[in-house]
């Protein structure tokens, strides 16, 4: 795929997460059963699905087991290759992957029955533009299914000033990168502005309260805050001092080790129709 596609983004848009091993391994734990439960009852054997922002392909693979065919689209060649390897290893022959941009989908009008997106729009400077492009490639009567977290709904215990600062910093970094950390609360508005009809809105929560869950969340951020692209974004343009990521990393390590530690936040989900 090298050289086939040039990904064009708005000048001020950067991907906040990056592709550090700790992040990608977390993405690879996502499943269709968890992340697309609101969509799965609507899939049929002949359904043609676009997974827009497919990452390492684990959700795409789950969708493929329930649909006629699925194409995963991602702006990272690394993620496209990871998705291809995954479905090959699992013997899934109705899922393919393609490098491309959500702003310029490489298909004609009315190609898909369903367009699905998980945690993509929060990273886009122009989410409504991407949703309008999704609507373009949907058949009349086709279904949009989108899911976004809302970082502003995060609650945690015990309270630690460094963790409170982390949440503030995450919002600052995401905003500087052109994204919206609180995308969940705006998702319905974005979908309606893109011209979709008959929206059905649901919410789910993610909770980290068991020892394994604490390691999954706290351990991720203990590393990510100092080693991933986020660390560079955070110190760029004076958003954080060089010392702050180290302090926040230590706070996540303390949080992970607490037997009474708790963390939770909300996801918004919208199903809507291309009229």
């Amino acid at each position: 795929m090298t050289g086939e596609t040039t990904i064009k983004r708005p000048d001020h848009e950067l991907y906040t997460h990056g592709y550090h091993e700790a992040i990608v391994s977390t993405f690879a734990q996502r499943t269709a059963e968890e992340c697309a439960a609101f969509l799965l009852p609507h899939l049929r054997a002949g359904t043609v699905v676009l997974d827009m922002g497919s990452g390492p392909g684990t959700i795409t693979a789950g969708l493929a087991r329930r649909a006629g065919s699925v194409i995963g689209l991602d702006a990272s060649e690394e993620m496209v290759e990871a998705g291809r390897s995954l479905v090959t290893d699992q013997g899934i022959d109705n899922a393919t992957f393609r490098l491309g941009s959500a702003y310029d989908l490489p298909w004609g009008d009315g190609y898909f029955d369903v367009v699905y997106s998980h945690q993509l729009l929060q990273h886009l400077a122009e989410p409504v533009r991407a949703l309008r492009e999704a609507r373009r490639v949907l058949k009349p009567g086709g279904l949009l299914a989108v899911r976004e977290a809302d970082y502003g709904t995060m609650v945690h215990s015990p309270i630690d000033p460094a963790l409170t600062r982390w949440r503030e910093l995450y919002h600052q970094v995401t905003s500087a990168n052109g994204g919206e950390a609180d995308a969940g609360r705006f998702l319905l508005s974005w979908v309606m502005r893109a011209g979709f009809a008959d929206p059905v809105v649901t919410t789910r929560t993610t909770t980290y309260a068991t020892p394994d869950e604490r390691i999954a969340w706290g351990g991720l951020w203990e590393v990510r805050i100092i080693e991933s692209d986020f660390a560079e974004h955070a110190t760029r343009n004076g958003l954080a001092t060089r010392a702050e990521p180290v302090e926040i990393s230590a706070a996540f390590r303390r949080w992970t080790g607490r037997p009474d530690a708790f963390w939770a936040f909300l996801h918004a989900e919208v199903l809507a129709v291309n009229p």
Side-chain angles (χ1 to χ4, degrees):
M1 187 66 72
T2 301
E4 291 184 14
T5 302
T6 300
I7 304 301
K8 296 180 180 179
R9 298 183 175 91
D11 291 340
H12 58 298
E13 181 183 297
L14 291 173
Y15 181 46
T16 296
H17 288 329
Y19 299 100
H20 187 279
E21 181 181 355
I23 298 167
V24 174
S25 63
T26 300
F27 290 171
Q29 301 303 311
R30 293 170 171 172
T31 66
E33 290 77 13
E34 174 193 1
C35 301
F38 68 113
L39 168 63
L40 296 185
H42 301 274
L43 299 181
R44 302 292 182 267
T47 306
V48 180
V49 181
L50 171 63
D51 182 2
M52 195 167 66
S54 52
T58 52
I59 300 175
T60 318
L63 297 175
R65 295 187 182 97
R66 295 165 173 81
S69 63
V70 183
I71 302 175
L73 181 89
D74 203 276
S76 162
E77 190 165 1
E78 176 186 350
M79 293 298 96
V80 168
E81 293 302 327
R84 288 173 177 161
S85 296
L86 176 72
V87 296
T88 297
D89 291 345
Q90 295 186 358
I92 297 171
D93 60 6
N94 63 332
T96 57
F97 292 85
R98 184 163 179 173
L99 186 70
S101 168
Y103 296 124
D104 186 19
L105 298 175
W107 294 279
D109 297 356
Y111 189 91
F112 294 97
D113 299 303
V114 172
V115 174
Y116 168 79
S117 176
H118 178 266
Q119 314 297 1
L120 168 68
L121 299 175
Q122 63 187 272
H123 300 294
L124 301 184
E126 301 177 38
V128 175
R129 175 184 162 196
L131 286 169
R132 287 175 179 149
E133 183 67 352
R135 183 182 166 202
R136 181 187 65 77
V137 301
L138 269 174
K139 296 175 182 177
L143 190 64
L144 175 77
V146 286
R147 186 175 196 249
E148 292 291 333
D150 190 314
Y151 278 65
T153 66
M154 287 188 175
V155 294
H156 69 271
S157 176
I159 304 301
D160 186 312
L163 295 181
T164 301
R165 170 58 181 144
W166 167 82
R167 194 168 72 175
E168 177 186 51
L169 182 61
Y170 188 89
H171 280 78
Q172 291 171 340
V173 169
T174 305
S175 178
N177 286 347
E180 175 52 74
D182 298 341
R185 69 188 67 185
F186 301 112
L187 190 56
L188 174 60
S189 174
W190 292 344
V191 168
M192 294 179 68
R193 286 167 56 194
F196 288 92
D198 304 324
V200 176
V201 181
T202 52
T203 58
R204 294 177 185 264
T205 57
T206 291
T207 303
Y208 302 102
T210 69
D212 286 346
E213 289 167 350
R214 293 185 197 105
I215 291 171
W217 180 249
L220 166 68
W221 274 103
E222 178 186 344
V223 174
R224 182 176 169 187
I225 192 67
I226 56 176
E227 294 185 13
S228 73
D229 287 2
F230 183 88
E232 180 183 348
H233 298 322
T235 53
R236 187 184 64 239
N237 299 326
L239 294 175
T241 66
R242 292 289 176 181
E244 279 185 303
V246 177
E247 295 166 357
I248 294 170
S249 176
F252 271 109
R253 184 166 58 251
R254 291 193 298 270
W255 180 87
T256 301
R258 288 282 298 255
D260 60 344
F262 170 86
W263 200 295
F265 59 98
L266 177 147
H267 304 264
E269 303 163 339
V270 179
L271 283 169
V273 176
N274 180 24

